Amino acid sequence: MRKHKTDRSMDEREKLRKFRELDDAFAEALRELEKPDSRLDIPTGPPVRSLEEREAEEAQQRQQAFEQRLKSLMSEYAQPRESVAALLRTMKTLGHIA
């Protein structure tokens, strides 16, 4: 019975010690931030891309995927380029594609 209480008190002391270490580290970080001439070495990831760049990249990927699928279908159904181009022009004229 006594050993169980000792183990529990050791666990509580360990938790308290870890909390104090974390609190000390946090306090130190705050002191560093308050220094006017302090230069922190904050790790950063790769540069953030703008929304426009991401949208343009996604549009390019969709275009490439479409072209690849179209070529695959043309090959599978043995359709020449001219025939598919005529079909696409007709669909566009009729308003089925933008």
Side-chain angles (χ1 to χ4, degrees), residues 14-30:
E14 183 65 18
K15 286 179 186 177
L16 186 57
R17 183 187 65 75
K18 287 182 179 181
F19 177 78
R20 285 186 186 139
E21 287 177 2
L22 182 62
D23 187 51
D24 290 345
F26 185 70
E28 178 66 27
L30 286 176

Side-chain angles (χ1 to χ4, degrees), residues 15-98:
K15 286 179 186 177
L16 186 57
R17 183 187 65 75
K18 287 182 179 181
F19 177 78
R20 285 186 186 139
E21 287 177 2
L22 182 62
D23 187 51
D24 290 345
F26 185 70
E28 178 66 27
L30 286 176
R31 283 192 293 274
E32 286 295 318
L33 285 174
E34 290 174 351
K35 291 180 183 177
D37 59 345
S38 171
R39 249 193 114 211
L40 296 177
D41 291 329
I42 300 173
T44 59
V48 178
R49 295 180 299 157
S50 71
L51 183 58
E52 293 83 19
E53 288 174 337
R54 285 191 2 217
E55 287 175 344
E57 184 179 305
E58 288 172 2
Q60 183 180 12
Q61 288 173 349
R62 284 191 303 272
Q63 179 70 25
Q64 289 172 346
F66 172 78
E67 289 174 6
Q68 185 178 16
R69 181 68 178 137
L70 182 60
K71 287 177 184 177
S72 173
L73 287 170
M74 288 169 55
S75 175
E76 184 177 336
Y77 290 98
Q79 292 297 312
R81 203 180 247 290
E82 297 79 23
S83 175
V84 174
L87 174 63
L88 290 174
R89 278 193 300 275
T90 302
M91 290 176 70
K92 189 171 186 174
T93 303
L94 295 174
H96 292 290
I97 57 174

